């Protein structure tokens, strides 16, 4: 399987014989068509895709450009970043959005094929790495990374989720190439494999782990935030397009900033909008994109994200997916700096919202926050039939998780939630008298 994955990756990096030579942002008389590739269900890219499209902000910005041109936006939805990269290097997509590891492949392939691309802004990010999670089936006996030795683990080679898997296994003392049986599968295929029992675990990116857990089809084994390495999604643009139509790219980035502001100001409404467009449960969208969700949104290209991107190169090189990548030449924040003006410095310095305990009451347009997990549980216990979703941050990583899917620890009068069982057990072992309890017990103690 390892050789098949590498072979598939090699094919991915080969030049396309059918590549067209015309830029996607072509003009027909006074009409200019701008082609945007996005991933509707990779919900950390919504401010450059699903949500942005539904709000119509890009079209509005384009209409304000004037110059006697009429602009048309061709939105193209894809399941992963790979086909977006293929279309960009074929000159058929102008602007695309994808995760950090696919962005690096985008950079490498663009250079290789003589059609360079650049990272021009960021969509969603998590400074600890919480966007990726390893899950197992609900009835699995696996409770720690070391239990994966010799097991079948599904992931998507070349994705950030695979990067999380590789790094997590290495830290656990397991050879990621020989210590497990890696299944290189698309997220939906991996999810089916997990349900069918043909995969023992699944390492995937947002929103798959949260979705499967919410549906009762999986439980968390490893929280990617334990790596304490930033993960993010971003916007990439073809270099020739950016040079030919800088005003159009700046209009996109202004619109992305406006969509980001909308998401941050109206997180529940934004979650409902994305859910309607994607078919994902709004509760899962909010888990990641909510006011205190796993992902923070900001178009600014933060230095710590670029530093993490440079560290990701070695993972792709070891998997023979790319060679050396000049990250500094790939990153180009000139356009977003110009688009946002004086506001850019403030966004660059902004920190993600602190984690919080939140309840989403049924029929409510806003969530309710609580100072402690115990207070949240007390509220839930008193309003069981009126709760749409309840979220709690992991006591060690801060990763938000669904309250009734978390692993709970009682430490004296304190009730502490954890995403994964191993971290809960480690905490209990390090604190005399603390012990792992069931969610029902936690509710009972809180009442």
């Amino acid at each position: 399987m390892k050789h098949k994955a590498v072979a598939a990756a090699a094919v991915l990096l080969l030049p396309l014989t059918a590549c067209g030579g015309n830029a996607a942002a072509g003009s027909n008389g006074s009409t200019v068509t701008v082609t945007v590739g996005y991933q509707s269900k990779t919900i950390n890219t919504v401010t450059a895709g699903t949500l942005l499209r539904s709000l119509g902000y890009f079209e509005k910005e384009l209409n304000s450009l004037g110059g006697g041109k009429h602009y048309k936006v061709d939105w193209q939805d894809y399941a992963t970043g790979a086909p977006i990269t293929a279309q960009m290097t074929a000159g058929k997509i102008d602007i695309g959005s994808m995760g950090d590891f696919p962005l690096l492949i985008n950079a490498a392939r663009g250079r290789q094929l003589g059609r360079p691309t650049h990272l021009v802004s960021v969509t969603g990010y998590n400074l600890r790495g919480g966007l990726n999670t390893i899950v197992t089936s609900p009835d699995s006996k696996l409770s720690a990374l070391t239990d994966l030795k010799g097991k079948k683990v599904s992931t998507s080679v070349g994705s950030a989720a695979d990067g999380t898997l590789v790094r997590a296994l290495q830290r656990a003392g397991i050879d990621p190439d020989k210590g497990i049986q890696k299944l290189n599968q698309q997220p939906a295929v991996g999810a089916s494999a997990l349900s069918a029992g043909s995969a023992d675990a699944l390492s995937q990116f947002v929103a798959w782990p949260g979705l499967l857990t919410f549906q009762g089809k999986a439980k968390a084994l490893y929280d990617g935030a334990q790596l304490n390495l930033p993960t993010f999604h971003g916007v990439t643009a073809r270099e020739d397009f950016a040079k030919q139509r800088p005003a159009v790219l700046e209009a996109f980035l202004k619109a992305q900033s406006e969509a980001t502001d909308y998401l941050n100001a109206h997180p529940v409404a934004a979650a409902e909008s994305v859910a309607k467009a994607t078919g994902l449960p709004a509760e899962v969208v909010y888990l990641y994109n909510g006011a205190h969700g796993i992902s923070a949104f900001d178009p600014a290209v933060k230095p710590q994200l670029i530093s993490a991107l440079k560290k990701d190169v070695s993972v792709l090189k070891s998997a023979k997916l790319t060679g050396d990548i000049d990250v500094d030449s790939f990153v180009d924040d000139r356009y977003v700096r110009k688009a946002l003006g004086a506001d850019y410095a403030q966004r660059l310095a902004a920190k993600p919202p602190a984690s919080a305990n939140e309840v989403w009451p049924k029929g409510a347009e806003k969530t309710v926050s609580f100072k402690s997990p115990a207070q949240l549980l007390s509220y839930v216990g008193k309003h069981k039939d009126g709760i749409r979703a309840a979220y709690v941050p992991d006591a060690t990583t801060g990763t938000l998780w669904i309250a009734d899917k978390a692993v709970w620890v009682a430490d004296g009068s304190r009730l502490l939630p954890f995403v994964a069982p191993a971290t809960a057990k480690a905490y209990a072992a390090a604190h005399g008298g603390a012990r792992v309890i069931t969610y029902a017990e936690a509710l009972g103690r809180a009442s």
Side-chain angles (χ1 to χ4, degrees), residues 206-298:
V206 52
W208 287 96
L211 173 64
L212 296 173
T213 300
F214 177 77
Q215 294 175 331
K217 297 178 180 179
K219 63 180 179 181
L221 177 74
Y222 183 84
D223 173 8
Q226 290 175 241
L227 291 173
N228 200 23
L229 291 170
T231 52
F232 73 99
H233 291 71
V235 176
T236 176
R238 290 200 338 270
E239 183 179 283
D240 58 348
F241 162 75
K243 290 180 177 179
Q244 181 185 5
R245 302 194 184 278
V248 173
L249 180 55
E250 288 165 21
F252 181 90
L253 296 171
K254 285 180 181 178
Q256 182 199 340
S257 177
E258 292 167 9
T260 302
D261 291 341
Y262 177 88
L263 182 148
N264 291 330
H266 309 282
V268 171
E272 294 278 24
S273 174
V274 172
K276 183 178 180 181
T278 62
L280 291 168
E283 297 89 342
V284 174
V285 178
Y286 193 86
L287 170 68
Y288 290 98
N289 294 7
H292 304 277
I294 299 174
S295 180
F297 286 84
D298 196 323

Side-chain angles (χ1 to χ4, degrees), residues 98-105 107 118-122 160 167 229-234 301-316 322 325-332:
M98 58 193 71
D100 40 15
F101 278 71
L103 280 168
L104 287 172
I105 294 177
H118 292 284
L119 172 66
V120 294
S121 70
V122 171
R167 284 167 163 155
L229 291 170
T231 52
F232 73 99
H233 291 71
V301 184
K302 298 180 182 293
Q304 54 266 55
L305 300 181
I306 303 310
S307 177
L309 197 63
K310 292 178 179 178
K311 295 177 182 178
D312 294 340
V313 174
S314 62
V315 178
L316 291 174
T322 67
I325 299 173
D326 186 349
V327 173
D328 289 326
S329 68
F330 175 55
V331 177
D332 188 351

Side-chain angles (χ1 to χ4, degrees), residues 59-305:
E59 288 82 354
K60 182 179 178 181
E61 288 289 343
L62 288 174
N63 288 337
S64 68
L65 292 180
K69 295 288 187 182
H70 172 71
Y71 293 92
K72 175 185 176 183
V73 182
D74 180 9
W75 296 91
Q76 297 185 3
D77 188 7
Y78 295 89
T80 64
I84 295 177
T85 290
Q87 292 294 87
M88 289 185 78
T89 53
K92 297 178 180 179
I93 286 180
D94 303 307
I95 303 169
S97 55
M98 58 193 71
D100 40 15
F101 278 71
L103 280 168
L104 287 172
I105 294 177
N106 181 274
R109 192 174 183 196
R111 286 292 175 187
Q112 182 187 37
L113 300 182
R115 198 183 290 271
T117 58
H118 292 284
L119 172 66
V120 294
S121 70
V122 171
T123 56
Y125 68 96
N126 182 286
L127 292 179
R128 290 187 61 102
L131 301 180
N132 309 304
T133 313
I134 302 173
V135 299
T136 60
S137 61
D139 57 353
S140 174
K141 302 298 183 183
L142 306 178
S143 61
L145 273 175
T146 49
D147 296 334
L148 291 180
K149 195 168 185 179
K151 302 296 183 182
K152 296 178 180 178
V153 183
S154 173
T155 190
S156 302
V157 173
S159 73
D162 183 41
T164 292
L165 176 63
V166 168
R167 284 167 163 155
L169 290 173
Q170 289 173 337
R171 289 193 182 185
I174 300 174
D175 187 328
D177 294 319
K178 301 177 182 178
I180 64 168
Q181 299 179 57
K182 184 182 289 188
L183 309 177
N184 182 19
Q185 299 173 324
Q186 290 294 318
V189 176
S192 297
L194 186 68
S195 296
S198 55
D200 299 297
L202 172 73
S203 182
Q204 274 303 343
F205 49 80
V206 52
W208 287 96
L211 173 64
L212 296 173
T213 300
F214 177 77
Q215 294 175 331
K217 297 178 180 179
K219 63 180 179 181
L221 177 74
Y222 183 84
D223 173 8
Q226 290 175 241
L227 291 173
N228 200 23
L229 291 170
T231 52
F232 73 99
H233 291 71
V235 176
T236 176
R238 290 200 338 270
E239 183 179 283
D240 58 348
F241 162 75
K243 290 180 177 179
Q244 181 185 5
R245 302 194 184 278
V248 173
L249 180 55
E250 288 165 21
F252 181 90
L253 296 171
K254 285 180 181 178
Q256 182 199 340
S257 177
E258 292 167 9
T260 302
D261 291 341
Y262 177 88
L263 182 148
N264 291 330
H266 309 282
V268 171
E272 294 278 24
S273 174
V274 172
K276 183 178 180 181
T278 62
L280 291 168
E283 297 89 342
V284 174
V285 178
Y286 193 86
L287 170 68
Y288 290 98
N289 294 7
H292 304 277
I294 299 174
S295 180
F297 286 84
D298 196 323
V301 184
K302 298 180 182 293
Q304 54 266 55
L305 300 181

